[in-house]
Amino acid sequence: MSVPRPFFIDGATLPATTPPKLTGPWSPADTRIDRAVLVPLPSGHAPEDVAVDPSGAVFTGSHEGVVWRLRDGAFERLAETGGRPLGIEHDPGDDSLIVCDAHHGLLRLTRDGAVRELTRSAAGTEILFCNNAAIARDGTVFFSDSSSRFPLAHWRRDLLEHRPNGRVLAYDPAARTTTVVASGLYFPNGVALTPDDSALLVCETVAHRLTRIDLPSGTATVLTDLPAYPDNMSPVGDGTFWIALASPRVAIAERLLPYPRVRKAVAVLPTWLQPRPGKHTIAALVDADGTVLRTLHSPAGHYPMLTGVRQSGDRLWFGSLTERSLAHVDLD
């Protein structure tokens, strides 16, 4: 049974902060995302994440609940989850897809289009906001439950509340059990495993930082503060990782941190009156220590709200929370 969700936020009182400038490795010198090739969906919008299987087929999920497969230049409607598919991962163990559905929890999608629910709760608590996943070599699925208070439709309220409402979970397919790996996280979003499966890298969107969680202890260590809000992330396979950053940090949101009552009022205003993300999006390549190795930019907002990123050979694929297309660029 679903638990009633709060309407008002309970904002934390925090010191005001100032977003850092995009300098050094974050300098927008490479603006190739503004020249990305767009691949429109047949219908619907908001292909939030993107996955690529060994054959080169590309997968994404739309706001309308459809999982699409792009193969040989043509889209196919693979399945409908009845919810909102977000993170998508190819499972090499059985060639299926793991789908994080914001409404229905963790799902498995087979190549014939069959959808099976894996888990919707952990430690006796509903999974409210299943977001992004990573699959270990033994088949364990690690995934983010971004907020225990606000579902996808009200993600901005979690941002304004600015409390550690999220957790990272692990689903064991053999035992069919779900356990809590770490809790007290600030909107955990993208997750990726280190090559030896000894740790998870986690993007905490609200705290705009990259965090390492050691396994199996669950000990969390902040690796780096980020100048933009991170979303999904994906491993390249060589010990490096791509992070999708949907927008530079919003200065007014950080100036309001000492004023929880003001944020409480802002949270119930129409969306167009609330602090809004910028159109500048970024894809950043980092190593397992969080060191930034390369950044690609879209300062003109050619492909705004970039939320998914995946490398396949020399091509980088992108998904977006708002657009009607996937996009891709070629790497050097």
Side-chain angles (χ1 to χ4, degrees):
M1 179 181 295
S2 295
V3 177
R5 296 300 158 191
F7 181 76
F8 294 107
I9 69 169
D10 178 24
T13 302
L14 299 165
T17 53
T18 301
K21 296 185 181 300
L22 298 177
T23 59
W26 292 100
S27 176
D30 189 333
T31 60
R32 73 182 65 199
I33 302 177
D34 273 331
R35 303 183 296 278
V37 176
L38 302 184
V39 186
L41 299 179
S43 64
H45 73 294
E48 196 264 356
D49 197 16
V50 57
V52 183
D53 73 9
S55 74
V58 180
F59 302 87
T60 192
S62 73
H63 175 81
E64 293 73 20
V66 178
V67 176
W68 295 97
R69 175 169 54 196
L70 176 63
R71 184 168 57 179
D72 299 326
F75 275 105
E76 308 166 74
R77 186 187 296 259
L78 182 59
E80 295 187 24
T81 68
R84 185 16 171 147
L86 296 174
I88 297 181
E89 293 293 319
H90 173 257
D91 187 344
D94 61 1
D95 203 33
S96 67
L97 297 175
I98 294 294
V99 179
C100 293
D101 191 291
H103 301 156
H104 297 310
L106 194 69
L107 310 176
R108 187 179 298 279
L109 173 57
T110 57
R111 292 310 181 97
D112 60 1
V115 179
R116 180 165 62 91
E117 180 184 299
L118 298 180
T119 180
R120 293 187 69 170
S121 66
T125 305
E126 173 192 8
I127 296 168
L128 181 63
F129 199 147
C130 189
N131 202 332
N132 197 235
I135 304 170
R137 285 191 294 270
D138 66 0
T140 301
V141 182
F142 295 92
F143 62 104
S144 54
D145 183 14
S146 295
S147 177
S148 61
R149 285 174 53 78
F150 302 103
L152 174 63
H154 299 297
W155 62 266
R156 290 178 177 83
R157 292 183 187 176
D158 201 282
L159 183 71
L160 288 165
E161 185 167 277
H162 215 100
R163 289 188 183 275
N165 297 326
R167 56 186 181 169
V168 170
L169 310 176
Y171 173 73
D172 181 341
R176 297 185 180 180
T177 56
T178 308
T179 55
V180 178
V181 176
S183 58
L185 301 172
Y186 289 84
F187 204 93
N189 199 331
V191 297
L193 282 157
T194 55
D196 61 359
D197 288 356
S198 66
L200 280 167
L201 300 187
V202 180
C203 293
E204 293 185 80
T205 304
V206 165
H208 40 75
R209 66 192 186 190
L210 182 65
T211 298
R212 175 188 173 101
I213 298 177
D214 292 324
L215 300 174
S217 69
T219 302
T221 305
V222 176
L223 296 179
T224 185
D225 187 46
L226 300 166
Y229 298 113
D231 205 282
N232 294 333
M233 69 182 303
S234 60
V236 177
D238 60 359
T240 63
F241 308 83
W242 283 104
I243 300 175
L245 297 113
S247 162
R249 285 157 52 179
V250 178
I252 183 62
E254 299 194 23
R255 287 199 295 270
L256 289 176
L257 288 177
Y259 310 107
R261 291 184 179 179
V262 175
R263 302 204 314 274
K264 184 176 184 177
V266 169
V268 296
L269 292 174
T271 300
W272 64 274
L273 287 175
Q274 296 181 19
R276 302 177 67 181
K279 290 188 175 181
H280 185 156
T281 56
I282 306 169
L285 183 69
V286 302
D287 65 16
D289 296 320
T291 303
V292 180
L293 306 175
R294 182 180 187 180
T295 58
L296 311 181
H297 294 255
S298 175
H302 176 73
Y303 195 69
M305 285 297 282
L306 192 156
T307 50
V309 58
R310 186 81 57 169
Q311 184 171 339
S312 176
D314 292 328
R315 176 161 291 180
L316 203 60
W317 284 92
F318 304 122
S320 166
L321 190 62
T322 59
E323 298 306 286
R324 295 184 176 275
S325 305
L326 291 174
H328 65 78
V329 298
D330 289 335
L331 297 170
D332 297 337

